[in-house]
Amino acid sequence: MSNPAETTSKRPLRVAIVGAGPAGVYAADILTKSNGVKDGDFEVSIDLFEAYPAPYGLIRYGVAPDHPRIKGIVNALHKVLDRGDIRFLGNVTYGRDLTLHDFRAFYDAVIFSTGAIKDADLAIPGIDLAGSFGGADFVSWYDGHPDVPRDWPLDAKEIAVIGNGNVALDVARMLVKHPDELLTTEIPDNVYQGLKNSPVTDVHVFGRRGPAQVKFTPLELRELSHMKDVDIVLYPEDFEFDEASDDAIRSNNQIKTMVNTLTNWLVEEHAEAEEPSSRRLHLHFLHSPVEIYQDPDDGGSGRVAGIKFERMELDGTGNVKGTGEFVDYPVQAVYRAIGYHGSPLDELEYNAKRGVIPNEGGRVLDADGNPVPGIYATGWIKRGPVGLIGHTKGDALETIGFLLEDRLTLPPAQNPDPQAIIDLLQERGIEFTTWEGWIKLDAHEAALGAAWTEGETDADGTAAVVRERIKVVPREEMINISRA
């Protein structure tokens, strides 16, 4: 029987990474730059698989298009993949196009970085009424996800968004912002048209705890004040601080900045405005959702007519308790944005409560809690949907560290020839895309933006809006452009 160390020492270490978002790209980058590779002790050959025809995962399909950091993150990921030492294979779905058995046959190690794309559940009465939506589903729609419907029901004037994290603010901002402000982003045309026809006047964002316990960050909060013709409305009764809140404000500059910003907005209340804006964004704190209800007199349409909350109060530790006071808000749509949840993966154990693959430091575990040789995880599917992009780098570093520690004992691939996996995909009729294909699609989207700009001008002939790109939505069109 061959020695794994002897088998792999004579050829590059073959590694497959499933998921080409930041977590997967960072893992690939860290592995290529590891000391053993830099010192020439061994070589690596990495294939980065993605279920969508385009790379970047959550950055392309999970972040609001007007987020100021998107361009910088995309540029950084692009530089890594454009080096040529990491092979991108898009439009390949794990569990359908390739199985774990397939990966084991062609690779010495497999890293899963599939992220978390589903909405966390909110178990309250009425959550399934028409007009009640998951925030993640809405994000997928406005980001042009190829596998969601092109249309979105934007017929509500008053909307509730439940959650006090960055996703909740993104959802609220996209709902209330005038869509012409989004034309400078890569927003798809169907999304622009849908938002343009929205009758929305008021969007309410609700959090369970106080202003000092919010989960969003200063940058996301400040973005709200940059919207044109949108007033930010706050309520004095929501500004409650306990001993833990005061300690957090004193010891954490980020919390201090956000509380100061919110307090200043409360004091100003747009007093300088000569006339009210056409839209309003309301920020509520100390509200715990109890029930989404319908109008009993609407003939049983099953549509959202309002939402009931229990008023909360801080208990001294930064947590909250109910007051027994309830308040109703008439709204015609509710978006829950209380977090993401990971999805199970074929042939791997799954922790349904946490939405993760059970693991120790990135080493995937079997049903008995033992490491599965050669199988690893990184990103949100490893640790849950917490933390920002920066946390993902440290997370990948830990996983790659354990993979390198295991390198000499990994179960060797039966067929490590890089061409072998390409032959299998072609044999199965999988229309996979490549990095070269992404360059084509990238250029096509930029050309769409340039063409739009040429067609939309002011009276003096200058471009009214400069569009850098327009995102292509249909999967088949993405594939055709990429594989042309």
Side-chain angles (χ1 to χ4, degrees), residues 29-49:
D29 188 40
I30 290 168
L31 182 54
T32 61
K33 294 177 179 177
S34 60
N35 290 334
V37 174
K38 288 193 299 183
D39 296 341
D41 296 340
F42 65 96
E43 298 178 27
V44 292
S45 172
I46 303 172
D47 286 341
L48 185 62
F49 291 87

Side-chain angles (χ1 to χ4, degrees), residues 358-470:
N359 69 92
E360 286 184 357
R363 286 185 175 117
V364 171
L365 305 177
D366 63 19
D368 296 322
N370 300 313
V372 181
I375 308 298
Y376 302 86
T378 191
W380 281 3
I381 198 63
K382 167 189 173 183
R383 59 185 165 85
V386 293
L388 303 175
I389 295 295
H391 296 90
T392 304
K393 291 184 179 180
D395 196 47
L397 187 63
E398 179 186 50
T399 294
I400 295 302
F402 282 120
L403 187 155
L404 293 175
E405 188 177 303
D406 301 338
R407 180 175 67 87
L408 298 180
T409 59
L410 293 172
Q414 300 163 25
N415 190 346
D417 182 354
Q419 182 60 34
I421 190 67
I422 301 298
D423 293 342
L424 179 66
L425 291 172
Q426 292 174 337
E427 178 185 319
R428 292 181 178 177
I430 308 303
E431 294 183 299
F432 64 90
T433 59
T434 63
W435 181 247
E436 292 74 22
W438 162 246
I439 297 299
K440 293 178 185 178
L441 180 58
D442 188 34
H444 179 83
E445 293 185 342
L448 290 177
W452 193 96
T453 301
E454 292 171 0
E456 299 287 333
T457 58
D458 287 330
D460 61 1
T462 59
V465 176
V466 176
R467 299 198 72 179
E468 290 189 13
R469 62 191 297 121
I470 299 175

Side-chain angles (χ1 to χ4, degrees), residues 272-303:
E272 74 283 358
E274 295 182 2
E275 58 184 55
S277 299
S278 65
R279 294 180 175 182
R280 289 157 295 281
L281 178 63
H282 307 254
L283 299 180
H284 304 267
F285 307 103
L286 300 170
H287 282 67
S288 181
V290 174
E291 178 188 7
I292 302 169
Y293 56 86
Q294 57 184 313
D295 186 344
D297 299 324
D298 71 352
S301 69
R303 289 197 55 81

Side-chain angles (χ1 to χ4, degrees), residues 226-253:
H226 298 156
M227 296 184 294
K228 297 178 182 177
D229 192 32
V230 178
D231 286 339
I232 299 174
V233 183
L234 299 107
Y235 300 85
E237 62 270 24
D238 291 345
F239 281 73
E240 179 180 316
F241 302 94
D242 61 0
E243 185 177 344
S245 302
D246 293 337
D247 289 342
I249 294 169
R250 283 193 297 267
S251 61
N252 188 307
N253 285 332

